[in-house]
Amino acid sequence: MLKSKTLLIVGAGASCEADLPIGIDLMPAILSSIRIESRDFGPAKMEEDLRRALHSQELVRNRHINNEIHHYARAYTQMREGLKLSISIDNYLDAHQGDYYLQVLGKMGIVRSILKAESQSKLSVTDHDSCDVSRVSDKWYAELFKMINEGVPRSSLDLFFSNLEVISFNYDRCIEHFFERALRSYYSVDNEQATQAVSRLVVYHPYGQVGLLPWQNQHQATPFGSDKIGGSELVRLASRIKTFTERQDDQTQIERMREAVQSAETIVFLGFAFHPQNLELIAPTKPAKAKRVFASAFGMSAPDIESTRDDIWEWLQGADSRVEIAPLTCSKLFSEYRRSIPRA
């Protein structure tokens, strides 16, 4: 089990281990999901689900989609060219604050592409609501689960997540979905017992997520990998996606995330790119209590690792922390530091 208060800070590289796309692959998927083809004669061509969603979006403004479609076509063309020069869809949308049509279209693209990626991931669900968690048995999800379940009997499931919190900068629900299914499988408990346990896990999504899972909200649920979304439902889900600038308005959640960082004794960065604005968003306002910081840095150069180490020390506000940045994948990080991460 985790013997110290532990915080995971998760980026796209972590979800990549479940076969979800990272930024460079996500952007083409987004463009494909919102493709609008302008034509000299006749209405612009697009998927019917997208047309219904844009129609629902404009009804809210008492406008008709036929009078607005050229604006969305312009936004799509602009995104198609602009994303070639962007490090992520998040940065691109934040750079275009105030462009209503581009924001709407981009956020719908995020929702459609992430839900489709969930449906094609290693954690995908079959038509019979089955999920084979053994498909990620060699990934960080399973490594962390093994780390936590050691010494935790079935009778103490309510304590399973007592020393863990998560800040996920990803839009997907892989973490919540995996833990709920893994608890069912490992402890042979029913859905209700598993969901009661995993509902105690605090997972912050600073930039939003593509809906709540059925066990999180029965009335407005979006099942994992539910990729046939359109109309008003796509409008609702897209409204949950926030840019960096928009997130600044939610001071309550920002303060909670910063408190989680400040109070954690062990911090683990997984697949995190260390973009300055993301670090800034969750930076503690006083010296952190972290004794140990671990970070996966697969593909990062030695000079960048040293630069990132300096950034982390500064970010911790002077905390006397041991900072381990390893050029490893997320799963390898957990296997290499299997004894170090969970210690008191």
Side-chain angles (χ1 to χ4, degrees), residues 85 97 225 244 316 342:
L85 299 172
Q97 289 294 324
F244 175 76
L316 290 171

Side-chain angles (χ1 to χ4, degrees), residues 31 268 292 312 316:
L31 289 173
V268 183
R292 298 170 297 275
I312 291 175
L316 290 171

Side-chain angles (χ1 to χ4, degrees), residues 287-302:
K289 298 179 181 178
K291 302 174 185 176
R292 298 170 297 275
V293 177
F294 302 91
S296 66
F298 183 71
M300 187 180 289
S301 67

Side-chain angles (χ1 to χ4, degrees), residues 7-19:
L7 175 67
L8 298 188
I9 301 178
V10 180
S15 292
C16 185
E17 291 201 9
D19 281 355

